[in-house]
Amino acid sequence: MIVNFLLIAPLLTVLLLLMVKNEQYMKPIALAGSVIQLLVIIGVLIQYLGLQTTTNGAMLLQTDIIWFAPLHIHYHIGVDGISMVMLFLTAFIVIAAILVSWKEVLLQKEFFILLTLLALGAYGFFISIDLFLMFFFLEIAVVPKFLLILIWGNGKKAYSATKLVLMLIGASALLFMGILGLYYHEPGQLQSFDMLQIAHMQLPYAVQLTFFPFLFIGFGVFTALFPFHTWVPDGHSSAPTAGSMFLAGISMKLGGYGLLRLVLLLMPAAAQFYAPYIILLAAIAILYGAFATMVQKDLKYMNAYSSISHCGFVLLGIGMLTPVALTGAVLQMVSHGLMTALFFAAIGMIYSRTHTRIIQEMSGLLVYMPFIGGLFILAGLTSLGLPGLSGFTAEMTVLVGSWQQPVTAYRIATIAAAASIVITAVYVLRAIGTVLMGKAKQFEHTPTDARWYEQWAGTILVLGILLVGVTPFLLLKLITPSILFFQQYIFK
């Protein structure tokens, strides 16, 4: 029952925001709602850990209610270790995004309602077991993304918002066709949207090969799959800071989670058949994203293109199909979510004070804003995989798991992915040196350092990065049983 409150809490927050007319209460209500959501997740975790020892990674705390009987659509939700870590990632980023937006003055009510709806869609997606319900929550977030960029964005915001929504809707169309194909391949009463039931039926090989590309490309677009990644740089760069944090930190993880949870679980034979193509696309994304980042002059574009490279590690881990690589893919989703949210938060803070994102137009900012500069440096060091931070833990796990595949071509792809870390170090250290170090640039109005709400936002994300980097065993305690159960279930 407690899992249902993951949906009830954001809905109540939205209703309260709609009812309140005094703008001074908007931000406290939104923040309180996000904190309550985190507390609910902690409660879910406590219950989950109490049951986990006897179930070996299965989906727990399930609620299954018939939603639309003629089409066998159920309100079927539950959690396992993988969904638990994704829920915590969402809660951390939502709280940080609301804090970063504390001084938002344009249409405050609408802004925080849209952020809360984004959180609702993410929570619902991560706990859905019914495919139709999962698709429903995936689509809930599309309109808020469009409006956040169109209304509160900057630069080519109309173009970027339109491009983002068209590409994501196109991806959703592919997903819907794939889901319907899985549903209608069986006659009558055997038809089901329940992913556990479909996995138990073991889809015919021909059906898997036919519909795997629909679901893989559909979810791949959400996770910046090359060459369907072009919405990422424009969308991230034009979105408001909170929107960029959510897009990169959470929305791109919906695709990776969908690939892991739905595509591999339901179509394991097809996953093995298409694995070489997945690995090839992942390696291209990793290297292309890294090299493209090196030539960027805008800080937001730099972070956006680097996200393409980092999300390539998620695809690489999924394509390798080893337990260690799959574990690394989950860790990379968490690590990249925290790191890129912190990066966008720091960039937003810098932009609000300097009114520029062009790297060459800044110098010596660490003198004026040591706290913000510290966040920028920590995010950069996480991106390049410094030991002790989450990026090292996640990417090393993916690389180790990938090397376990004895195929020569797969090991070449692993070496190429590892080489991208050197490229990442080049553009990260160059950006840090140019923007923060050197002679301090003179401004008409002396820039100030982070305010209390910005400090809290940054601190929350930093704690998450350190948690994954220093104590990864806490996450592995959740992830490993689910991965092992996952492996046994799909390759039995």
Side-chain angles (χ1 to χ4, degrees), residues 329-348:
V330 178
L331 288 174
Q332 178 67 358
M333 285 192 281
V334 177
S335 171
H336 177 258
L338 294 167
M339 178 271 294
T340 197
L342 181 63
F343 231 147
F344 275 123
I347 293 169

Side-chain angles (χ1 to χ4, degrees), residues 173-194:
L174 291 175
L175 289 173
F176 195 59
M177 287 189 288
I179 290 172
L180 289 181
L182 300 184
Y183 176 80
Y184 281 111
H185 93 279
E186 291 285 358
Q189 293 301 315
L190 294 178
Q191 294 174 348
S192 175
F193 285 109
D194 189 298

Side-chain angles (χ1 to χ4, degrees), residues 183-428:
Y183 176 80
Y184 281 111
H185 93 279
E186 291 285 358
Q189 293 301 315
L190 294 178
Q191 294 174 348
S192 175
F193 285 109
D194 189 298
M195 70 171 67
L196 299 179
Q197 185 176 335
I198 296 173
H200 182 71
M201 290 189 297
Q202 297 184 346
L203 296 171
Y205 187 62
V207 173
Q208 293 189 36
L209 290 183
T210 301
F211 294 106
F212 183 96
F214 289 91
L215 293 169
F216 175 75
I217 295 175
F219 281 124
V221 173
F222 280 85
T223 196
L225 172 70
F226 180 89
F228 307 104
H229 64 280
T230 56
W231 66 271
V232 174
D234 293 320
H236 289 4
S237 62
S238 296
T241 299
S244 297
M245 293 170 66
F246 197 98
L247 282 172
I250 302 174
S251 290
M252 293 177 72
K253 309 306 168 289
L254 302 180
Y257 181 86
L259 289 172
L260 186 65
R261 171 71 67 205
L262 196 158
V263 179
L264 296 189
L265 178 66
L266 304 188
M267 294 173 284
Q272 294 180 2
F273 177 84
Y274 287 109
Y277 306 100
I278 299 173
I279 293 168
L280 175 62
L281 291 174
I284 292 173
I286 292 170
L287 291 175
Y288 164 79
F291 279 114
T293 305
M294 287 189 66
V295 299
Q296 300 307 313
K297 299 178 181 180
D298 184 304
L299 284 175
K300 266 200 168 184
Y301 271 98
M302 184 191 79
N303 196 25
Y305 273 102
S306 72
S307 293
I308 297 171
S309 180
H310 289 299
C311 286
F313 278 91
V314 177
L315 293 172
L316 184 68
I318 291 173
M320 289 297 179
L321 295 174
T322 67
V324 176
L326 292 174
T327 301
V330 178
L331 288 174
Q332 178 67 358
M333 285 192 281
V334 177
S335 171
H336 177 258
L338 294 167
M339 178 271 294
T340 197
L342 181 63
F343 231 147
F344 275 123
I347 293 169
M349 295 175 199
I350 292 172
Y351 177 74
S352 68
R353 290 159 171 81
T354 64
H355 307 292
T356 182
R357 300 195 310 245
I358 305 303
I359 295 173
Q360 298 302 325
E361 294 180 0
M362 293 176 274
S363 177
L365 294 185
L366 197 61
V367 172
Y368 300 113
M369 44 188 88
F371 186 88
I372 297 173
L375 297 180
F376 190 92
I377 292 172
L378 187 67
L381 296 179
T382 304
S383 179
L384 61 81
L386 184 74
L389 303 176
S390 63
F392 176 81
T393 302
E395 291 181 2
M396 282 301 298
T397 307
V398 172
L399 293 173
V400 170
S402 299
W403 194 258
Q404 291 176 347
Q405 284 283 15
V407 181
T408 302
Y410 291 3
R411 290 193 167 179
I412 292 174
T414 304
I415 293 171
S420 73
I421 298 174
V422 178
I423 306 170
T424 303
V426 171
Y427 65 72
V428 166

Side-chain angles (χ1 to χ4, degrees), residues 66-181:
I66 296 176
W67 187 8
F68 189 68
L71 292 178
H72 310 104
I73 298 174
H74 288 227
Y75 171 76
H76 191 184
I77 60 174
V79 295
D80 71 346
I82 298 172
S83 54
M84 281 304 315
V85 297
M86 300 311 294
L87 291 173
F88 272 105
L89 171 66
T90 303
F92 272 51
I93 293 177
V94 170
I95 293 173
I98 291 173
L99 286 169
V100 165
S101 308
W102 202 256
K103 286 298 183 180
E104 182 62 53
V105 295
L106 176 63
L107 301 173
Q108 285 188 32
K109 175 183 291 192
E110 291 79 3
F111 182 85
F112 288 111
I113 285 175
L114 291 175
L115 278 183
T116 307
L117 288 175
L118 286 175
L120 172 66
Y123 290 136
F125 183 85
F126 290 134
I127 64 176
S128 293
I129 297 175
D130 184 275
L131 299 184
F132 188 90
L133 185 67
M134 177 180 281
F135 182 81
F136 172 81
F137 282 114
L138 183 68
E139 293 307 292
I140 281 180
V142 172
V143 174
K145 293 173 191 174
F146 174 78
L147 293 176
L148 280 171
I149 297 175
L150 185 65
I151 299 173
W152 291 274
N154 51 67
K156 301 182 295 183
K157 57 183 182 180
Y159 167 80
S160 299
T162 303
K163 183 177 183 179
L164 178 144
V165 76
L166 287 177
M167 293 200 69
L168 294 188
I169 287 178
S172 298
L174 291 175
L175 289 173
F176 195 59
M177 287 189 288
I179 290 172
L180 289 181

